[in-house]
Amino acid sequence: LQWVVDAYSLVFAALVLAAGSLSDRLGRKGTLLVGLSIFAVSSLAGAFAGTITELIAARALMGLGAAFMFPATLSLLVNVFTERGERAKAIGLWGATTGIGIATGPIVGGWLLERFWWGSVFVLLAVIAMAITGMVVWIVPTSRDPRTPPIDWRGLVISSVGMAILVFGVIEAPGWGWGSAATLTTLSLGAALLVALVMVERHLENPMLDVALFRNPRFTAASASVAISFFALQGFIFLITQYFQFVKNFTPLGTGVRLLPVAGSVAVASVLGTKLAVRVGNKVVVASGLLSFAAGLLWTSTASGNTSYAVIVGQMLLLGAGMGLTSAPATEAIMGAVPAAKAGVG
């Protein structure tokens, strides 16, 4: 179960920075179309997988497609909506799609699982990806870094390998033991490669990643806020779906419907958060979101098999509000600190 989820996450995490850099250099629309195509094909492969190994491999390829899609969408928005108020509104709606995904994914998936075979979930994803491909071809404008610098292959390779090893260590650490030699060695190697990335990028004329960005507290704090919010939300969703089905004995569809509170609060808070950020500043909004998230996590940690659904709703509302107030405004702060030409890397 963990690797069906984490094969996607591992490849996505390893390659999203590299894919963002390629989108700046080669064109964001083209990169998005490549990502959608890979995602559609790998979803079909997952639908008809005959073994768990084949399914995990298909999920890894879906992560590759997502790595090309994710930064391209955001960088296209930043280059289309250049005025801050418009950009904040667009990023708020972009962040709200996280909530929509959290809501519709489990509900539609649960409905399909109760009526068709499990592969129907992936067939639907392939169909949606192909439909969106047509919309992108028709509607979305293209953009790229006007200087079109050469590809920084050293940065691409070191960042991808370093992130892959680091994330792999995090995935396996609970089984190995957090203090085990295997865990410490893997995490140390991943961290060492990322340090090497910084050293290499500092001395290149056209680096993939301008590491000087991290001297900007706005960029660094916002990046950390996005990281911890997604880290915690994904962990919560992974566990709560199993909790609802195996502890509370809800059906797959019933589980999806019961996730609506967290999904709705993420969507609403994402839109509201970016509007407030323009008026009162990102710092206040993101800090409030992180406090709400922390409170929700602490409250969730007290749950047991006997916790009522009404209590869990309260926990989900706090978590979702925290996620929306943190992620979307922090993303807007990140993109505001990065030149439009480097939006994919941002």
Side-chain angles (χ1 to χ4, degrees), residues 51-97:
T51 67
I52 192 70
T53 303
E54 292 175 3
L55 178 58
I56 290 171
R59 288 283 295 162
L61 282 174
M62 290 170 71
L64 173 63
F68 279 102
M69 290 157 57
F70 194 83
T73 59
L74 190 55
S75 55
L76 281 165
L77 283 180
V78 170
N79 278 272
V80 171
F81 301 98
T82 53
E83 190 271 321
R84 194 198 170 184
E86 283 190 336
R87 186 182 70 213
K89 187 185 297 182
I91 291 176
L93 291 170
W94 179 88
T97 60

Side-chain angles (χ1 to χ4, degrees), residues 5 98-99 101-107 229-246 255-256 258-266 293 297 300 312 315-317 319-320 323:
V5 174
T98 300
I102 293 170
T104 57
I107 292 173
S229 59
F230 272 99
F231 183 89
L233 182 71
Q234 295 295 343
F236 174 78
I237 295 297
F238 179 73
L239 288 174
I240 197 69
T241 51
Q242 296 179 70
Y243 172 83
F244 278 158
Q245 291 181 85
F246 304 143
T255 294
R258 286 174 174 84
L259 287 173
L260 280 173
V262 68
S265 55
V266 169
F293 217 152
L297 288 169
T300 303
I312 296 171
Q315 296 166 351
M316 289 194 289
L317 289 174
L319 285 169
M323 175 69 183

